[in-house]
Amino acid sequence: MANGYISDQKKVFVSGVKIFYGSQTGTAKGFAMNLAEEIISLDLPVIIINLKEYDPDDHLVEEVTSKNVCVFLVATYTDGRPTESAEWFSKWLEEASSDFRFGKTYLKGMRYAVFGLGNSAYVNHFNKVGKNFDKWLWMLGAHRVVTHGEGDCNVVQSKHGSIEADFTAWKTKFLSQLQALQKGEKKACGGNCRKGKCRSKWQSSEEMEPESPLQDRLHHRDTEEEELFESTSEEESGPEDHESLNSIVDVEDLGKIMNHMKKDKKEKEQQEEKTSLWRDSVKNEDSEPRAMITPALRDALTKQGYQLIGSHSGVKLCRWTKSMLRGRGGCYKHTFYGIESHRCMETTPSLACANKCVFCWRHHTNPVGTEWRWKMDHPEMILKEAIENHQNMIKQFKGVPGVKEERFKEGMTVKHCALSLVGEPIMYPEINQFLKLLHECKISSFLVTNAQFPVEIRNLKPVTQLYVSVDASTKESLKKIDRPLFKDFWQRFLDSLKALVAKQQRTVYRLTLVKAWNVDELQAYAELVSLGSPDFIEVKGVTYCGESSASSLTMANVPWHEEVVRFVRELVDLISGYEIACEHEHSNCLLIAHKKFKIDGEWWTWIDYDRFQDLIQEYEHSGGSKTFSTKDYMAKTPHWALFGASERGFDPKDIRHQRKIKSKSLSGC
């Protein structure tokens, strides 16, 4: 009843259709307009959207509850890449589909269909973009309305004689499905298709059986790994493999069997000969250092988004770099020390590490070792390629919705280098030369070490800021959390902390809190602080990076922000000469600073980077005789960065703040 009248409102199953297109020559756009006309005739509202003008970060999740059907018409361009207009959307979709922060149900409820435009003359890349769109949307939990279509510009190979005819055939199926959805009928496509191949064979809704719980579980399992898209061993094996060993053999077939046995024996002998040759070659190669990055490791790290350099280095674009390019706030280093996140390059000259920490965000795909035993690349080459790769990744943001032009231009010039990507950078034998090259390029250096190489710390030349990871405060908990390779790991850990006292640059303890593992060791942490007397102490809640067979860490081990704040307050009460200075709530992180950085009641935790570059050049020119102190290059901390400020660590100049994490921290960095 409404105002005394009976309201006869029909349930809406489809509220409208959004047609997204990525086109280079205009064909996809033309198809979009053609499809829109057909949909309008069904009395459904239609919106046509150029992917270049669409921001998936802001709007795609809205389709989960919108009751719209989203259609993607995307062309595959040179070398299997998306067209320029679809490049950003494609990159976002790819990263989201493999990012644990989004998960397998991020787009659950969204309905979609994909039609790809390509040319089968390019066999290796035919309709690659359309296939990828279909796969990535499915991996994020979206529901496929109809199996993806493939248009072929190659008239000879086109299934229907032309790309227009291919589209018409697919369009007919899609419109049929759309009409069924309008009426609330069961979808013909169960959404459990692999690699875009519909198992339902276009059965009508009446013929489809309800999906069983087992099928539902299998659907979720299939999305976990792309490897499951490959054929099974049963599909690859021949009919001979399935014959019973106990079956009766005819005399006439005995000759064939004997031939098979002779053939197998010969192949086995050849294989043994190859194996012997391979072993001999390995022995010869043992005298020469091997490359750290093996082909399998290269594949694994590339899949995670690394740009690999030479045989042991890598660079990757930080999510906060992307955020600040779009004016959405910087990382906690921006809040604590004034780093410009959009001008920061995250890299490492050594992918190897001496620990296997339970919270490693690389899931232990990087190599491990206690000493450098690999082939070594020159630092000049590493830095040159690191900057080039970083700039190439920044270039991909040109024209992306929301990216500020001024920050894009600034981002092309690297000003900071975070040597904290993965691994142990201090293991690289030429680390001092690499740092010198950074400073010659006017790039500040933030180096992180896992406190297992005290000699290297003592021999390290000045850096802008030196970090030591203090993941636990007792021998037992350090062994449990960091899982170090060195047998004398605890003594190495203590010696590394002691080595900080003699350093004249800014030093930082980096504490990662793992709930139920190391949050109850306050007194022991206080004793470690007195051992190394760091300038700053960063306390951060552990970041959960998804399930891993190499770690038992779960979301239950992630402390709430309030718990991190309480820990920091209690720690400060136990150590003299320190106070809480700054806070970055989104990263679940606080900064404790020595009182020497509090002048006339105001904090000076930020860095005067230009002044540091002047000082480090004077140091180099004097051969290391002209030293400088931490106070020589400090800068005043802005009010919004301070602990307790209403901004919670975000610069008010940014056009909008990052979504604040009021529950558990899932942020990177």
Side-chain angles (χ1 to χ4, degrees):
M1 296 287 290
N3 297 324
Y5 294 93
I6 297 176
S7 176
D8 184 20
Q9 292 184 341
K10 293 182 179 179
K11 188 174 181 180
V12 177
F13 296 100
V14 179
S15 59
V17 178
K18 289 185 177 179
I19 305 174
F20 300 85
Y21 71 88
S23 184
Q24 192 72 26
T25 61
T27 306
K29 183 178 180 181
F31 286 171
M33 296 175 70
N34 177 281
L35 181 60
E37 292 177 2
E38 298 277 4
I39 294 170
I40 290 171
S41 67
L42 300 178
D43 292 327
L44 280 173
V46 183
I47 300 175
I48 300 176
I49 302 170
N50 185 346
L51 283 171
K52 187 176 183 178
E53 299 166 357
Y54 185 78
D55 190 344
D57 239 349
D58 288 341
H59 302 298
L60 194 59
V61 74
E62 296 170 1
E63 304 306 333
V64 169
T65 56
S66 68
K67 292 188 178 181
N68 288 322
V69 174
C70 298
V71 181
F72 296 88
L73 309 177
V74 287
T76 299
Y77 199 43
T78 310
D79 296 328
R81 298 198 310 270
T83 60
E84 186 179 342
S85 60
E87 197 167 16
W88 163 244
F89 187 93
S90 177
K91 184 175 179 61
W92 183 93
L93 206 58
E94 180 182 14
E95 291 181 352
S97 68
S98 59
D99 191 329
F100 72 92
R101 287 173 296 222
F102 288 87
K104 301 169 189 174
T105 59
Y106 181 70
L107 295 179
K108 186 176 181 180
M110 173 182 167
R111 295 174 291 184
Y112 76 95
V114 177
F115 181 81
L117 295 81
N119 192 321
S120 60
Y122 303 96
V123 180
N124 295 332
H125 306 299
F126 177 54
N127 263 313
K128 185 177 180 180
V129 175
K131 293 173 184 175
N132 284 340
F133 268 48
D134 181 56
K135 179 178 71 175
W136 294 332
L137 287 165
W138 180 62
M139 289 172 69
L140 286 167
H143 201 96
R144 185 187 293 114
V145 169
V146 62
T147 189
H148 85 273
E150 296 185 355
D152 192 352
C153 290
N154 186 355
V155 178
V156 178
Q157 295 293 328
S158 172
K159 189 174 181 180
H160 300 92
S162 69
I163 192 169
E164 290 78 12
D166 292 335
F167 175 70
T168 300
W170 178 85
K171 179 179 67 174
T172 302
K173 295 176 182 178
F174 170 74
L175 292 174
S176 175
Q177 281 295 99
L178 187 60
Q179 287 175 296
L181 290 174
Q182 269 187 291
K183 299 172 185 176
E185 295 178 3
K186 184 171 176 60
K187 299 175 281 297
C189 180
N192 295 339
C193 314
R194 286 186 177 185
K195 215 170 186 178
K197 296 177 181 177
C198 187
R199 292 173 175 170
S200 58
K201 301 298 181 184
W202 297 105
Q203 292 172 301
S204 65
S205 56
E206 288 81 13
E207 293 172 323
M208 289 295 292
E209 294 180 2
E211 194 172 305
S212 68
L214 176 61
Q215 286 175 319
D216 188 53
R217 289 197 299 273
L218 287 172
H219 165 59
H220 287 294
R221 185 196 68 185
D222 286 348
T223 61
E224 289 180 2
E225 294 291 340
E226 287 184 50
E227 284 75 15
L228 293 180
F229 287 131
E230 297 174 1
S231 60
T232 64
S233 58
E234 187 175 319
E235 290 169 338
E236 293 170 351
S237 58
E240 300 88 352
D241 299 329
H242 301 290
E243 287 191 23
S244 170
L245 293 173
N246 297 322
S247 59
I248 298 174
V249 181
D250 290 336
V251 176
E252 314 70 278
D253 295 328
L254 202 56
K256 294 180 182 178
I257 293 172
M258 292 301 293
N259 286 335
H260 275 297
M261 291 176 66
K262 288 179 181 178
K263 184 179 178 182
D264 290 342
K265 184 179 180 181
K266 186 177 181 180
E267 288 177 352
K268 187 176 180 181
E269 289 173 350
Q270 289 175 342
Q271 184 61 39
E272 287 177 351
E273 186 179 351
K274 288 180 181 178
T275 304
S276 178
L277 289 171
W278 176 79
R279 284 173 182 161
D280 291 340
S281 66
V282 168
K283 287 179 182 178
N284 292 333
E285 289 173 3
D286 282 343
S287 58
E288 297 180 7
R290 300 180 184 177
M292 182 187 294
I293 304 176
T294 63
L297 180 61
R298 183 174 294 276
D299 290 342
L301 293 174
T302 302
K303 189 176 180 181
Q304 294 177 38
Y306 286 85
Q307 299 293 319
L308 300 178
I309 303 163
S311 63
H312 55 75
S313 308
V315 63
K316 189 178 183 184
L317 205 62
C318 173
R319 62 175 292 241
W320 288 107
T321 300
K322 305 172 189 177
S323 175
M324 204 160 189
L325 281 170
R326 307 173 81 182
R328 297 184 176 183
C331 67
Y332 71 86
K333 292 188 187 73
H334 171 63
T335 300
F336 297 172
Y337 315 116
I339 270 187
E340 296 173 272
S341 303
H342 63 300
R343 303 183 68 183
C344 182
M345 175 177 70
E346 193 175 20
T347 188
T348 181
S350 170
L351 292 163
C353 188
N355 289 345
K356 294 189 286 184
C357 305
V358 295
F359 50 77
C360 179
W361 60 349
R362 309 306 178 197
H363 292 309
H364 312 96
T365 48
N366 55 307
V368 291
T370 56
E371 61 181 356
W372 191 273
R373 59 178 187 273
W374 300 278
K375 184 169 66 175
M376 189 173 67
D377 299 326
H378 295 295
E380 291 83 2
M381 182 275 287
I382 297 172
L383 180 58
K384 179 177 179 292
E385 292 197 18
I387 292 174
E388 288 176 355
N389 278 293
H390 178 81
Q391 289 173 334
N392 288 335
M393 288 186 284
I394 293 290
K395 286 177 183 176
Q396 295 176 11
F397 285 82
K398 187 174 184 179
V400 169
V403 170
K404 302 176 78 172
E405 185 177 352
E406 180 184 353
R407 288 194 177 177
F408 175 79
K409 290 179 180 177
E410 291 175 344
M412 291 300 293
T413 303
V414 178
K415 188 176 181 180
H416 314 286
C417 180
L419 291 161
S420 60
L421 178 62
V422 68
E424 179 63 84
I426 209 168
M427 279 183 73
Y428 177 49
E430 293 292 332
I431 185 63
N432 278 326
Q433 179 61 19
F434 184 80
L435 291 168
K436 183 180 179 182
L437 294 170
L438 278 175
H439 298 151
E440 287 176 356
C441 294
K442 305 295 182 182
I443 299 174
S444 66
S445 51
F446 288 73
L447 188 146
V448 180
T449 175
N450 290 317
Q452 288 296 293
F453 295 91
V455 174
E456 286 75 6
I457 291 176
R458 285 192 287 268
N459 294 335
L460 191 70
K461 287 190 174 182
V463 295
T464 310
Q465 192 154 283
L466 176 62
Y467 287 80
V468 171
S469 293
V470 181
D471 301 325
S473 58
T474 67
K475 184 177 181 179
E476 293 72 24
S477 58
L478 187 70
K479 184 177 182 180
K480 182 180 178 181
I481 293 173
D482 278 5
R483 298 187 293 187
L485 301 184
F486 284 108
K487 291 181 179 179
D488 60 339
F489 67 91
W490 182 245
Q491 191 58 51
R492 285 175 167 273
F493 178 73
L494 297 178
D495 289 344
S496 294
L497 300 186
K498 293 175 185 176
L500 293 189
V501 179
K503 309 307 286 186
Q504 294 179 333
Q505 67 264 37
R506 295 160 60 114
T507 56
V508 185
Y509 275 13
R510 187 169 171 173
L511 275 62
T512 301
L513 299 187
V514 185
K515 199 172 179 180
W517 285 19
N518 66 357
V519 295
D520 300 321
E521 304 171 353
L522 279 163
Q523 187 58 49
Y525 274 119
E527 293 171 4
L528 292 181
V529 171
S530 63
L531 199 64
S533 301
D535 295 313
F536 305 99
I537 306 167
E538 292 178 3
V539 184
K540 184 180 185 300
V542 67
T543 299
Y544 178 60
C545 300
E547 294 180 3
S548 169
S549 58
S551 171
S552 59
L553 198 72
T554 69
M555 274 299 296
N557 299 116
V558 181
W560 300 77
H561 186 63
E562 292 78 6
E563 292 174 311
V564 177
V565 172
R566 184 167 62 249
F567 177 93
V568 169
R569 289 184 186 277
E570 293 175 359
L571 179 60
V572 168
D573 289 340
L574 295 174
I575 52 179
S576 60
Y578 293 87
E579 289 183 9
I580 306 175
C582 303
E583 176 184 26
H584 193 268
E585 187 180 31
H586 190 110
S587 294
N588 203 8
C589 187
L590 281 86
L591 179 69
I592 301 171
H594 196 279
K595 289 181 182 179
K596 67 183 179 182
F597 292 95
K598 195 172 188 179
I599 302 172
D600 297 330
E602 295 182 318
W603 283 109
W604 288 65
T605 66
W606 275 35
I607 297 171
D608 184 338
Y609 293 100
D610 292 334
R611 179 60 181 150
F612 170 79
Q613 295 299 345
D614 292 339
L615 292 168
I616 196 67
Q617 293 309 316
E618 290 175 9
Y619 169 87
E620 292 291 350
H621 292 154
S622 67
S625 62
K626 190 170 184 179
T627 60
F628 55 94
S629 70
T630 56
K631 285 189 175 183
D632 291 334
Y633 59 102
M634 64 182 183
K636 187 177 177 181
T637 311
H639 179 270
W640 56 263
L642 300 178
F643 175 66
S646 59
E647 293 85 354
R648 298 290 187 179
F650 280 102
D651 191 338
K653 289 187 297 184
D654 289 318
I655 56 175
R656 78 168 192 178
H657 294 169
Q658 283 279 344
R659 301 180 184 92
K660 294 180 179 178
I661 301 298
K662 294 184 179 179
S663 56
K664 296 188 176 183
S665 173
L666 287 175
S667 61
C669 285

